[in-house]
């Protein structure tokens, strides 16, 4: 589903106009982004948790330059699926 | 480390900052992720605009270790939802470190990275050649192969040139002299284009021929190849057939002399290589053979089993064993040799304490052994 379809579906669920829903949608996405960049992340029940962490610099071989390269520190987003989400896509459980 | 925001906090803060009740905020967020979930179930992928995309991935079966009992257990194959942030989110998260850039280790190559890289092996080859070849001609191995072909091509080209020039002269009677000069020039440039293309093709076959010798070698040779067409084209521009014929034999004799000097060079079976900074074994193999996977051959020929393959000995002169096939199309005997050498490398890794690598190379060795029999 693309953004328009998503907003249409949400507006029906929430009893709001599509314009209002789009405003909330944009605000929500920017808030989630802010949580990831300024705070440690956030979690959604029954879905999973999003977190950001600093990945240290590391060495890697660059096949173009045929040399080892040092890749810099980077803050990256990590997603960890919840157990219930995992269960929904895997029928047979241990 | 900063703690994650809980769902309750998320709803409260969102409801407080926007004109919406907490119930509706919860409904909005849950509704959004339910849509994602539905999409994942239907299509195996989903996305949230300006945020990121989700996709369903299959994870293969693997063995793991139970951290409590230290027992080895089999983790069965399963599906997993993976998340990939979009560029906007990625950049916003990484704002703190956005000014950092990746850099090359070792030599100071800030501006001319690719150039400097290619030139390094080239210089080495030129130093290396005189050891083997007393004639001391630098760019020779390549020319030896190319020139016989080149010579023939040149002759053909020059004939074509002459024919065209003659036909042009006939036209002069009809068309005014100015026009004919223009036409001649244009036909000459067309012919020189054809020449260039042909020479490229020859260079290509030459590269293919000498692929295993050294990647850097190719560059020095290209320059020489380009010199010859300019010699042929220039006389054509002068529009005098005589001048052209005079230069033509000169080029040919030069070529013959070079061939004579070069021939003894074809003999050597092994060559040497001096380790430079950043020359890990696979880098060396890439430079020497054009294929990094052949590094165990070099390792076996030069070091004992007690050496750690991940350590570089700068300045050490290596013996480079020859291979029968080409790097990309190895002969059966090469595979047998490679299998033995890889086994050797695996043993060395084992002694150096890198058991994971050792196991990996043991697998490679078995693969090469199979290929040597096929």
């Amino acid at each position: 589903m693309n953004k328009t379809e998503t907003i249409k579906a949400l507006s029906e669920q929430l009893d709001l106009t599509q314009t209002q829903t789009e405003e909330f949608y944009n605000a929500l996405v920017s808030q989630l982004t802010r949580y990831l960049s300024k705070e440690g992340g956030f979690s959604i029940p029954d879905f999973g948790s999003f977190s950001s962490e600093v990945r240290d610099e590391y060495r890697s071989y660059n096949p173009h330059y045929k040399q080892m390269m040092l890749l810099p520190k980077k803050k990256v987003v990590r997603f960890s699926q919840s157990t219930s989400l995992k269960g929904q896509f895997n029928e047979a459980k241990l | 480390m900063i703690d994650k925001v809980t769902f309750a906090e998320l709803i409260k803060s969102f409801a407080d900052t926007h004109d919406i009740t907490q119930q509706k905020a919860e409904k909005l967020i849950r509704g959004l992720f339910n849509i994602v979930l539905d999409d994942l179930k239907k299509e195996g992928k989903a996305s949230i605009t300006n945020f990121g995309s989700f996709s369903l991935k299959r994870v293969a079966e693997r063995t793991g270790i139970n951290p409590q009992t230290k027992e080895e257990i089999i983790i069965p194959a399963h599906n997993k939802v993976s998340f990939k942030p979009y560029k906007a989110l990625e950049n916003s998260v990484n704002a703190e470190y956005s000014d950092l850039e990746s850099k090359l280790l070792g030599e100071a190559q800030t501006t001319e990275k690719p150039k400097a890289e290619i030139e390094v092996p080239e210089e080495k080859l030129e130093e290396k050649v005189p050891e083997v070849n007393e004639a001391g001609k630098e760019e020779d191995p390549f020319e030896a192969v190319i020139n016989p072909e080149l010579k023939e091509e040149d002759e053909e080209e020059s004939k074509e040139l002459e024919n065209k020039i003659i036909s042009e002269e006939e036209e002069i009677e009809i068309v005014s002299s100015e026009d004919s000069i223009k036409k001649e020039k244009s036909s000459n440039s067309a012919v020189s284009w054809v020449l260039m293309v042909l020479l490229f093709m020859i260079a290509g076959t030459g590269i293919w021929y000498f692929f295993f010798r050294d990647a850097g070698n190719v560059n020095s040779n290209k320059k020489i190849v380009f010199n010859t067409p300019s010699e042929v084209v220039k006389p054509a521009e002068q529009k005098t057939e005589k001048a052209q014929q005079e230069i033509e034999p000169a080029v040919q004799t030069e070529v013959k002399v070079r061939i004579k000097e070069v021939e003894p060079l074809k003999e050597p079976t092994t060559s040497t290589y001096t380790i430079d900074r950043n020359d890990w074994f696979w880098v060396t193999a890439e430079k020497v053979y054009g294929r990094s996977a052949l590094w165990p051959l070099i390792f076996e020929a030069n070091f004992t089993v007690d050496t750690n393959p991940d350590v570089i000995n700068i300045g050490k002169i290596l013996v480079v064993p020859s291979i029968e096939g080409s790097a990309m199309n190895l002969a059966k005997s090469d595979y047998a040799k490679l299998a033995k050498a890889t086994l050797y490398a695996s043993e060395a890794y084992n002694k150096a304490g890198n058991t994971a690598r050792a196991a990996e190379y043991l697998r490679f060795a078995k693969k090469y052994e199979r290929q040597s029999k096929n």
Side-chain angles (χ1 to χ4, degrees):
Chain A
M1 257 203 254
N2 61 25
K3 192 180 173 184
T4 329
E5 288 163 348
T6 309
I7 284 166
K8 203 177 168 201
L10 281 175
S11 70
E12 279 161 20
Q13 283 177 34
L14 295 170
D15 252 346
L16 291 170
T17 65
Q18 285 191 32
T19 335
Q20 278 174 318
T21 319
E22 186 166 3
E23 268 171 42
F24 286 130
Y25 179 97
N26 290 339
L28 178 65
V29 167
S30 67
Q31 182 154 358
L32 296 183
T33 307
R34 199 165 58 247
Y35 278 149
L36 279 172
S37 36
K38 302 277 191 275
E39 319 265 335
F42 61 91
S43 58
I44 307 288
D46 296 335
F47 192 80
S49 71
F50 296 80
S51 61
S52 58
E53 58 182 51
V54 177
R55 187 181 64 201
D56 216 353
E57 59 181 19
Y58 65 99
R59 284 151 164 263
S60 175
Y61 180 69
N62 184 320
H64 180 70
Y65 295 148
K66 295 184 179 165
Q67 238 188 350
M68 296 301 280
M69 292 195 89
L70 189 67
L71 288 119
K73 247 186 190 182
K74 196 180 180 187
K75 203 172 176 187
V76 290
V77 180
R78 289 279 155 85
F79 170 69
S80 161
Q81 59 182 355
S82 76
T83 330
S84 69
L85 184 69
K86 193 182 173 185
Q88 290 188 48
F89 292 102
N90 294 282
E91 309 87 50
K93 276 161 213 163
L94 289 171
Chain B
M1 181 164 164
I2 317 153
D3 284 326
K4 275 183 227 170
V5 179
T6 62
F7 191 55
E9 282 168 352
L10 170 63
I11 291 165
K12 194 167 187 301
S13 121
F14 187 71
D16 287 351
T17 45
H18 301 89
D19 184 23
I20 193 171
T21 62
Q22 286 195 23
Q23 284 77 15
K24 279 208 167 170
E26 185 178 345
K27 231 179 164 183
L28 172 75
I29 299 167
R30 279 187 187 276
L32 178 63
F33 282 96
N34 276 335
I35 289 170
V36 169
L37 195 58
D38 286 345
D39 274 7
L40 274 173
K41 278 178 182 166
K42 267 184 240 155
E43 298 164 36
K45 59 179 192 215
S47 67
I48 298 178
T49 313
N50 285 335
F51 195 67
S53 64
F54 299 87
S55 64
L56 206 56
K57 283 189 177 158
R58 185 83 186 151
V59 183
E61 186 182 279
R62 65 187 168 95
T63 55
I65 291 166
N66 183 333
Q68 280 178 335
T69 59
K70 308 282 178 204
E71 266 178 78
E72 224 175 63
I73 47 164
I74 295 164
I75 301 166
H78 59 274
N79 294 320
K80 178 189 134 186
V81 177
S82 95
F83 171 71
K84 194 176 186 308
Y86 285 151
K87 215 79 207 169
L89 175 62
E90 211 171 55
N91 289 342
S92 151
V93 169
N94 192 40
E96 222 177 310
Y97 304 110
S98 58
D99 54 330
L100 297 175
E101 276 175 13
S102 59
K103 50 191 166 204
L104 285 165
L105 291 172
E107 285 134 53
Q109 294 156 345
T110 42
T111 46
E112 306 172 318
K113 282 171 196 167
K115 266 194 179 176
E117 267 306 302
I118 297 160
E119 273 165 21
V120 170
E122 191 181 334
E123 282 163 18
K124 264 175 212 151
L125 182 89
E126 283 168 7
E127 285 167 14
K128 199 174 70 186
V129 169
E131 289 174 20
V132 197
N133 177 22
E134 286 181 1
K137 276 256 172 186
E138 282 181 355
E139 318 84 350
D140 285 337
F142 192 63
E143 288 224 338
V145 174
I146 278 186
N147 279 333
E149 294 173 295
L150 190 68
K151 208 168 66 185
E152 287 168 19
E153 297 292 339
D154 281 350
E155 279 170 358
E156 282 173 22
E157 290 307 315
S158 59
K159 272 174 199 164
E160 277 176 31
L161 269 177
E162 283 164 19
N163 290 341
K164 284 206 173 158
I165 290 165
I166 290 164
S167 66
E168 229 90 66
E169 280 171 356
E170 286 168 2
E171 276 179 21
I172 291 173
E173 292 167 12
I174 310 158
V175 195
S176 71
S177 60
E178 275 179 329
D179 287 359
S180 74
I181 287 161
K182 273 180 196 168
K183 278 192 178 178
E184 259 178 90
K185 274 182 183 171
S186 67
S187 76
N188 282 340
S189 67
V191 170
S192 66
W193 266 110
V194 172
L195 251 175
M196 291 281 274
V197 171
L198 273 166
L199 282 160
F200 260 111
M201 281 163 67
I202 297 160
T205 53
I207 290 164
W208 183 79
Y209 240 83
F210 272 82
F211 189 66
F212 51 59
R213 264 179 195 259
D214 197 302
N217 198 7
V218 169
N219 258 25
S220 60
N221 290 322
K222 269 187 185 164
K223 283 174 205 159
I224 295 115
V225 174
F226 284 124
N227 286 342
T228 14
S230 63
E231 279 173 9
V232 184
V233 173
K234 269 178 200 163
E237 280 168 1
Q238 288 165 6
K239 296 170 210 161
T240 53
E241 288 172 47
K242 281 180 187 175
Q244 198 182 331
Q245 280 166 353
E246 276 172 330
I247 288 166
E248 200 60 31
V251 172
Q252 283 175 21
T253 48
E254 205 182 22
V255 164
K256 275 173 195 163
V257 170
R258 278 184 190 172
I259 291 165
K260 274 176 197 167
E261 282 170 351
V262 164
E263 260 153 19
L265 191 93
K266 285 188 171 181
E267 291 305 312
T269 49
T270 53
S271 49
T272 55
Y273 183 87
T274 314
I275 299 185
D276 200 3
R277 281 200 295 171
N278 291 313
D279 278 349
W280 276 268
F281 280 106
W282 63 91
V283 182
T284 312
E286 176 85 42
K287 284 178 187 169
V288 178
Y289 293 124
R291 187 174 168 188
S292 51
L294 303 181
W295 74 265
L297 286 175
I298 303 174
F299 181 71
E300 194 200 17
N302 293 283
F303 292 95
T304 60
V305 197
D306 301 320
T307 327
N308 183 353
D310 285 343
V311 174
I312 318 173
N313 297 293
I314 296 171
K316 185 172 162 64
I317 296 165
L318 294 176
V319 178
V320 179
S322 64
I323 48 172
E324 281 176 29
S326 67
M328 289 301 153
N329 189 14
L330 290 171
K332 277 178 193 175
S333 58
D334 291 331
Y335 271 121
K337 261 189 253 169
L338 190 58
K340 199 170 141 248
T342 314
L343 208 64
Y344 187 83
S346 160
E347 216 172 295
Y349 267 125
N350 233 336
K351 291 206 174 176
N354 197 340
T355 46
R357 278 276 168 81
E360 196 183 331
Y361 279 95
L362 199 65
R363 262 203 332 274
F364 286 152
K366 279 175 189 163
K367 191 180 120 197
Y368 294 140
E369 213 177 316
R370 274 202 306 279
Q371 275 166 316
S372 72
K373 282 167 190 165
N374 289 336

